[in-house]
Amino acid sequence: MLNVPPPAFPAPSSQQRAAAGGRAKVPLKPGRSLMDWIRLTKSGKDMTGLKGRLIEVTEDELAKHNKKEDCWICIRGFVYNVTPYMEYHPGGEDELMKAAGTDGTDLFDQVHRWVNYESMLKECLVGRMAVKPVAAPKGMLPEKKVLDASSKDLTPSYDWFQTDSLITIVIYTKQKGMNAELVILDCEDKRLRGEIIVDDYSYLLEVDLDHAVQEDMAVNIAEKVGKVEIILKKKDNVHWKILGQPLENHNTFMKRTDRGLFYRKCKLVSKAEVTHDTKLFCLQLPESTHLRVPTGQHVYLKQIIAGTEVVKPYTPVLPFLLLDFKEPSCHDSAHIYLMIKIYPCGLFTQALDHLQIGDYVSVSNPEGSFKKSQVQTSEDLFLLAAGTGFTPMVKLLNFALTEVSCLRTVKLIFFNRTEDDILWRNQLQQLALKDERFEVQFILSQPVRDWVGKQGMISSSLLSEFVKRSRKDSKVLICICGPTPFTEQGVQYLKDLGYSQEEVHPFTA
């Protein structure tokens, strides 16, 4: 398997991504879909072989169950008999067998930390570990074990003060360059959760407020000194004795990957057709939420389907491509736009498609490894996209053409099956006419006879034709996204053509 960066992109069940973490999905036998698994778990069948009993499992006992026909796995101190799940696992039996008879927490987090395994495997629960496994449960380590010495010195702190009508919370991040994308706030039913992103770490402020506040809040950021002000409006003009009761993870500073995903409910306000099988969903954030999804990062959607929580990642897009470059784009901070391909047999996408305007869906905090600085230091930007692998390219295109003046060339090589599958074709062609730096090349694998453009699949010869430096030593960034075979083949071809690992960013999830 290729060495690709950690999670930064869309849906394992979609054309955006055939599998999580670069691991390809395997063909499942008929009757082995996610819906079939949910039906089996609700059938009353004994999934553990223990007739409903829960037991304490020693490490020696766990190690005995390491075969396909008898496979137990420990995740965060709980042991599951995944034997019945073997044929339903999208990543195949071999992926599960890597953790057979052991603590699979770290492996699970590397591949699909976002999956709600508690819900998916609840009927397979054997019991707790009698002795905690070596890998401690995520998010439960005390601060001194979470941070190294250099990180401790950068630990943010906070203070608060009040007037008759306002509560102001000040977070001192100790970071220059703090911006709105690094501040995530949610306030619901007196529960305030503020998360500040500091590189690979996050600082969490989480309290049950002393009194109720109004929904609208203000956020002021002093970028140069790294100070963040959260201004809340009191519902009643009463004097607060304390800010509130601290919740479990309040005032902690730890690696982002060690935190569980946090969701808020967002309202579906519109749904529009993009192509014959792809739609643009517009979700409205709660008024008491402050969230900006950075370029190149994704969110997770969570829905309850047949009583089971199902989660999938998607990369937010813009409502349209910006064609006027006189000023940097104005970000819509109240909505999240998602371009989603609806699969005829896709359990999750079918559920999304059946949502009515006004219905709600749970949306997570942003995740991903892509950084804008990768673009800001480049002279040539090449985007290789297949199908809905186009979605991370939307914001990337907008950012590159509106805010990065050093770029000489921005080229999108867009692979699709047919002309009808091309997303935003007209907008992309208009964009190419508006900005001489931008070029788009459409490549079809199943074109009609009168198609005059390029055709075929991704190949070394095709990439050598379209991916060329504007000058011999120009700094180049190549972003690639699509189904796993497309992405992995593309990365290998680029490597063979002499591009370094630092010059290639595969979007994966």
Side-chain angles (χ1 to χ4, degrees):
M1 187 172 109
L2 295 174
N3 180 25
V4 295
F9 174 65
S13 64
S14 75
Q15 195 174 353
Q16 293 167 301
R17 172 60 45 208
R23 291 162 172 78
K25 292 176 76 174
V26 298
L28 297 176
K29 298 177 184 177
R32 296 298 184 271
S33 69
L34 175 58
M35 193 67 236
D36 293 314
W37 171 251
I38 292 174
R39 290 193 190 101
L40 178 61
T41 63
K42 298 185 182 305
S43 67
K45 182 178 179 180
D46 180 11
M47 309 289 280
T48 64
L50 298 175
K51 298 180 181 180
R53 291 183 298 116
L54 292 177
I55 62 173
E56 281 198 338
V57 183
T58 64
E59 291 187 30
D60 288 342
E61 181 64 27
L62 175 64
K64 295 176 184 176
H65 302 271
N66 62 355
K67 304 177 182 63
K68 286 186 179 180
E69 62 276 8
D70 179 20
C71 182
W72 290 9
I73 293 175
C74 173
I75 304 177
R76 292 188 175 85
F78 290 91
V79 178
Y80 299 88
N81 181 353
V82 299
T83 312
Y85 184 58
M86 283 284 178
E87 294 186 347
Y88 297 83
H89 185 235
E93 296 178 355
D94 290 343
E95 284 297 314
L96 284 178
M97 287 305 298
K98 289 179 181 179
T102 68
D103 177 11
T105 303
D106 287 343
L107 182 63
F108 175 85
D109 285 344
Q110 290 170 21
V111 182
H112 34 42
R113 181 174 75 90
W114 45 272
V115 171
N116 189 334
Y117 66 92
E118 297 102 323
S119 178
M120 198 73 69
L121 299 175
K122 61 185 176 183
E123 299 302 326
C124 300
L125 180 62
V126 171
R128 283 182 178 270
M129 288 294 295
V131 178
K132 285 187 178 180
V134 174
K138 296 289 184 182
M140 297 301 289
L141 296 177
E143 184 176 335
K144 64 181 180 181
K145 292 186 179 180
V146 174
L147 302 175
D148 56 33
S150 61
S151 299
K152 286 182 192 175
D153 297 336
L154 299 175
T155 304
S157 61
Y158 79 98
D159 199 354
W160 71 282
F161 57 89
Q162 64 183 306
T163 65
D164 288 344
S165 59
L166 300 176
I167 295 290
T168 300
I169 302 168
V170 183
I171 301 174
Y172 305 95
T173 70
K174 305 177 186 177
Q175 293 288 316
K176 293 181 179 179
M178 184 58 51
N179 62 66
E181 290 183 347
L182 303 176
V183 180
I184 306 168
L185 297 171
D186 291 273
C187 190
E188 183 181 10
D189 297 331
K190 290 175 57 185
R191 176 172 175 168
L192 174 69
R193 186 185 193 276
E195 186 169 357
I196 309 295
I197 308 302
V198 181
D199 295 325
D200 295 330
Y201 290 82
S202 80
Y203 173 74
L204 189 63
L205 185 151
E206 193 174 27
V207 294
D208 185 4
L209 296 171
D210 200 34
H211 295 277
V213 294
Q214 297 180 36
E215 283 192 341
D216 56 323
M217 70 172 85
V219 179
N220 297 327
I221 301 171
E223 295 187 17
K224 293 183 179 179
V225 297
K227 184 173 73 172
V228 177
E229 288 185 349
I230 306 167
I231 302 172
L232 308 173
K233 297 179 182 177
K234 296 178 178 179
K235 270 197 173 177
D236 301 304
N237 294 344
V238 296
H239 182 78
W240 291 26
K241 294 182 179 179
I242 58 172
L243 178 62
Q245 294 297 329
L247 298 174
E248 182 181 1
N249 292 309
H250 176 64
N251 202 26
T252 58
F253 187 50
M254 63 177 67
K255 284 192 173 181
R256 293 177 67 186
T257 52
D258 289 346
R259 292 210 187 278
L261 292 173
F262 181 81
Y263 292 86
R264 76 279 299 147
K265 289 189 176 296
C266 297
K267 184 194 294 185
L268 177 65
V269 293
S270 71
K271 184 167 49 173
E273 287 192 3
V274 179
T275 67
H276 61 99
D277 62 1
T278 303
K279 296 183 180 180
L280 185 67
F281 291 74
C282 177
L283 302 175
Q284 183 176 347
L285 290 164
E287 190 173 354
S288 56
T289 290
H290 174 280
L291 184 152
R292 312 281 188 273
V293 182
T295 297
Q297 294 198 13
H298 56 274
V299 296
Y300 297 97
L301 302 190
K302 180 171 68 175
Q303 283 284 82
I304 305 295
I305 301 175
T308 298
E309 281 190 358
V310 183
V311 178
K312 297 292 180 184
Y314 293 97
T315 299
V317 300
L318 300 170
F320 49 81
L321 290 175
L322 192 67
L323 301 179
D324 185 354
F325 303 114
K326 292 179 182 178
E327 295 182 4
S329 61
C330 295
H331 296 284
D332 180 352
S333 59
H335 300 91
I336 290 178
Y337 295 88
L338 300 169
M339 194 181 289
I340 298 175
K341 183 171 181 177
I342 309 300
Y343 290 84
C345 299
L347 179 66
F348 196 80
T349 60
Q350 284 293 323
L352 289 178
D353 195 33
H354 283 91
L355 288 175
Q356 301 298 310
I357 302 302
D359 287 346
Y360 287 83
V361 60
S362 295
V363 179
S364 79
N365 284 359
E367 294 221 336
S369 64
F370 186 84
K371 292 180 172 58
K372 287 181 178 179
S373 58
Q374 296 171 255
V375 182
Q376 292 167 324
T377 55
S378 300
E379 297 167 84
D380 301 324
L381 175 63
F382 296 96
L383 309 175
L384 311 179
T388 44
F390 169 63
T391 58
M393 311 307 180
V394 174
K395 284 189 174 183
L396 191 48
L397 265 177
N398 183 69
F399 171 70
L401 294 174
T402 58
E403 301 184 42
V404 186
S405 58
C406 62
L407 283 167
R408 291 191 181 92
T409 305
V410 180
K411 184 183 289 188
L412 170 66
I413 299 96
F414 198 178
F415 295 82
N416 285 279
R417 288 194 298 269
T418 70
E419 286 185 78
D420 291 339
D421 294 318
I422 300 174
L423 301 166
W424 282 356
R425 180 181 182 180
N426 291 336
Q427 291 192 45
L428 288 166
Q429 290 173 330
Q430 290 179 50
L431 192 58
L433 293 173
K434 285 277 188 179
D435 193 311
E436 61 183 11
R437 295 174 299 167
F438 177 61
E439 177 187 343
V440 59
Q441 185 74 46
F442 301 113
I443 301 173
L444 302 183
S445 59
Q446 298 174 17
V448 294
R449 287 186 179 182
D450 60 355
W451 172 253
V452 295
K454 285 283 182 180
Q455 55 182 290
M457 310 287 282
I458 191 169
S459 65
S460 182
S461 60
L462 189 149
L463 292 182
S464 65
E465 179 181 353
F466 291 112
V467 182
K468 296 178 180 178
R469 300 178 193 271
S470 59
R471 58 183 178 82
K472 184 179 178 181
D473 298 320
S474 64
K475 295 180 180 179
V476 64
L477 175 64
I478 307 169
C479 296
I480 181 168
C481 189
T484 300
F486 170 88
T487 302
E488 293 191 345
Q489 288 168 12
V491 170
Q492 185 60 53
Y493 293 145
L494 291 167
K495 181 180 179 182
D496 295 342
L497 289 170
Y499 293 99
S500 68
Q501 185 174 345
E502 290 71 29
E503 293 175 318
V504 180
H505 184 94
F507 285 106
T508 61

